[in-house]
Amino acid sequence: MRVLGVDPGLTRCGLGVVDGGSGRTVRFVDVGVVRTPAELDLARRLLLVADGVEEWLDRHRPQVVAIERVFSQNNVSTVIGTAQAAGVVALAAARRGLPVHFHTPSEMKTAVTGSGRADKAQVTAMVTRVLGLAEPPRPADAADALGLAICHLWRAPMQSRLSEAKARAAELARAHQTRLRTAARTGTGKLRAATATGLGPASGSSLAEREQNRKGTTR
């Protein structure tokens, strides 16, 4: 499976492509950054991000796109810009019918380093080691993009199994509810039939009363 990892941003949008093999085998394909000048207006900057991502999608033909999920920061303007860039990337992938998955920074760090609190230097060091790179990818946005691609490759089998287990559990629950409703309808139908033929509790009580009244009349 080939994954394009994206660390979204307006100033720097990190892009990294990794191929996954059997088990936890991963192979480096490419890494880079799309940059946009801060003096440009927002629409123009988003267009540059979109063009850059489109070029990478055409060049590398990934099967999945993994994007870092935006989380709250102190700088609101940075969060908004990052979210807008992530939306542009997701849209570009959706136009090609590619599945898009979002991973939080802590999920990526845990997958790559074993700690959700790892800093950027630790992520870069582990990405370099895992992919067997001759030198660390720069800037950190590029390393994070590769980390996201690795994270998805390593988490995808587990997520697939969890999804299958949830679907199976939901199917069993629906089947159980159907059996309960069927049993309830069947039980109600049998009770009505028994009552109509004089075998139910209500009809039995009425027959007993009629028999007692008959005997009293005879006497």
Side-chain angles (χ1 to χ4, degrees), residues 8-27:
L10 281 177
T11 302
R12 294 183 305 275
C13 182
L15 303 170
V17 181
V18 174
D19 283 343
S22 59
R24 292 171 69 85
T25 303
V26 290
R27 184 178 67 84

Side-chain angles (χ1 to χ4, degrees), residues 12-188:
R12 294 183 305 275
C13 182
L15 303 170
V17 181
V18 174
D19 283 343
S22 59
R24 292 171 69 85
T25 303
V26 290
R27 184 178 67 84
F28 170 77
V29 178
D30 198 2
V31 67
V33 175
V34 175
R35 302 176 186 271
T36 69
E39 63 270 17
L40 293 181
D41 61 75
L42 175 61
R44 180 62 181 169
R45 297 181 76 182
L46 290 174
L47 178 60
L48 290 176
V49 171
D51 288 345
V53 172
E54 296 272 3
E55 180 185 345
W56 274 65
L57 291 172
D58 290 337
R59 185 195 314 167
H60 295 294
R61 304 289 181 180
Q63 296 165 278
V64 181
V65 176
I67 305 174
E68 181 177 279
R69 186 181 298 278
V70 179
F71 66 100
S72 178
Q73 297 175 341
N74 294 328
N75 192 336
V76 176
S77 62
T78 300
V79 174
I80 294 175
T82 301
Q84 291 169 328
V88 164
V89 176
L91 176 61
R95 289 188 186 281
R96 289 167 168 74
L98 296 174
V100 177
H101 295 269
F102 292 88
H103 300 281
T104 66
S106 61
E107 287 174 344
M108 184 271 284
K109 293 175 182 178
T110 300
V112 175
T113 71
S115 171
R117 297 185 177 182
D119 57 26
K120 289 187 176 296
Q122 291 173 305
V123 171
T124 299
M126 286 304 300
V127 165
T128 304
R129 178 180 176 183
V130 168
L131 294 176
L133 303 179
E135 58 184 23
R138 302 294 182 194
D141 310 84
D144 285 350
L146 289 172
L148 285 161
I150 295 171
C151 170
H152 182 76
L153 285 169
W154 287 353
R155 286 173 57 90
M158 179 184 67
Q159 290 177 326
S160 178
R161 289 193 293 270
L162 287 174
S163 297
E164 290 175 359
K166 288 181 179 178
R168 178 57 179 164
E171 180 183 349
L172 291 173
R174 287 193 297 269
H176 179 65
Q177 290 297 324
T178 299
R179 288 194 296 270
L180 290 177
R181 288 192 294 269
T182 301
R185 286 196 297 268
T186 302
T188 302

